Amino acid sequence: AQSVTQLDSQVPVFEEAPVELRCNYSSSVSVYLFWYVQYPNQGLQLLLKYLSGSTLVKSINGFEAEFNKSQTSFHLRKPSVHISDTAEYFCAVKRGGGNKLTFGTGTQLKVEL
Amino acid sequence: NAGVTQTPKFRILKIGQSMTLQCTQDMNHNYMYWYRQDPGMGLKLIYYSVGAGITDKGEVPNGYNVSRSTTEDFPLRLELAAPSQTSVYFCASSYSTTGTYTGELFFGEGSRLTVL
């Protein structure tokens, strides 16, 4: 069974600073990788995904993540964060051919002025 | 377009009571899921369904039951509520067929359940 590790439970950062949220997964087979975002008192929303093709994927609001097969990582980055990026971010993995997502424990991103 | 709708949003139960969390989606998605979210634990899959009449257990099914009589509805039943079932419950749906997997789950806003 695959697992997802998000080592950082909280990441405080000042506005306009860069940020990286780390995600590592364990799977010996092909995987699909995702980042979801959860704003306070809401459900999760898909932020970006890697299914195949280019290993660098981007969201419409400036986040990007790179699939690194050799390091089994899918870290999320943003060069300059905004207050509105304050939320909890979940990394998730799905084994190719399976039908369930496995979520990490989440990273709370807190952007401060 | 309502998406995924969950009711109730909040509920307090006494130990031993039973209740049903309702979930309905209007996107004609074939897959539906129930997750629970606990602080610092992420989301754990309780049950899922790949279509009407088909359900299967996830990671933490004990103490819960589900049914899927229609494409739209996927209720979660809690029998004999226990304090360990205090959590936020999320219903989600997605569409997938062979060769068209997108990985995007659409989530409801959650149901916060407290068992005292």
Side-chain angles (χ1 to χ4, degrees):
Chain A
Q2 60 266 30
S3 66
V4 180
T5 301
Q6 294 181 250
L7 287 174
D8 305 306
S9 59
Q10 294 186 46
V11 174
V13 62
F14 288 109
E15 193 174 35
E16 298 184 2
V19 70
E20 178 180 82
L21 306 184
R22 296 180 293 168
C23 173
N24 289 87
Y25 66 93
S26 65
S27 176
S28 60
V29 298
S30 63
V31 294
Y32 301 143
L33 293 158
F34 309 86
W35 277 99
Y36 279 79
V37 58
Q38 183 181 31
Y39 298 103
N41 299 315
Q42 294 186 24
L44 282 70
Q45 306 169 38
L46 181 66
L47 184 62
L48 48 75
K49 63 188 177 187
Y50 169 79
L51 301 183
S52 65
S54 174
T55 57
L56 182 66
V57 291
K58 299 183 179 184
S59 72
I60 58 173
N61 59 350
F63 283 95
E64 63 180 36
E66 186 158 19
F67 170 54
N68 188 319
K69 188 174 182 179
S70 63
Q71 297 188 6
T72 60
S73 68
F74 191 56
H75 301 331
L76 182 69
R77 301 182 181 94
K78 189 171 185 180
S80 176
V81 295
H82 188 267
I83 285 287
S84 60
D85 294 324
T86 294
E88 189 154 21
Y89 293 79
F90 292 91
C91 184
V93 62
K94 187 187 97 65
R95 179 176 56 84
N99 50 26
K100 296 176 285 184
L101 287 185
T102 298
F103 286 87
T105 52
T107 298
Q108 180 67 48
L109 175 63
K110 184 174 182 181
V111 181
E112 302 169 350
L113 291 172
Chain B
N1 198 350
V4 178
T5 302
Q6 292 181 233
T7 56
K9 286 186 167 43
F10 303 93
R11 181 74 186 267
I12 298 175
L13 280 182
K14 294 182 180 179
I15 294 172
Q17 287 185 320
S18 300
M19 74 160 297
T20 299
L21 299 178
Q22 302 291 344
C23 176
T24 187
Q25 53 94 6
D26 62 0
M27 297 173 283
N28 201 32
H29 286 171
N30 50 347
Y31 283 61
M32 294 188 76
Y33 310 82
W34 273 106
Y35 288 89
R36 60 176 289 171
Q37 183 180 26
D38 301 295
M41 302 295 289
L43 277 78
K44 300 294 185 186
L45 182 64
I46 305 171
Y47 271 95
Y48 68 101
S49 167
V50 301
I54 307 170
T55 63
D56 205 351
K57 297 177 180 179
E59 302 170 78
V60 291
N62 292 343
Y64 307 94
N65 277 300
V66 293
S67 60
R68 183 95 182 272
S69 57
T70 67
T71 299
E72 296 78 19
D73 300 307
F74 191 43
L76 177 71
R77 177 90 177 153
L78 280 71
E79 304 282 1
L80 298 175
S84 61
Q85 293 178 304
T86 293
S87 187
V88 181
Y89 292 84
F90 287 99
C91 180
S93 70
S94 68
Y95 182 76
S96 178
T97 63
T98 302
T100 62
Y101 184 78
T102 67
E104 182 167 8
L105 268 61
F106 292 81
F107 283 81
E109 294 189 344
S111 297
R112 185 176 296 274
L113 176 67
T114 302
V115 182
L116 300 174

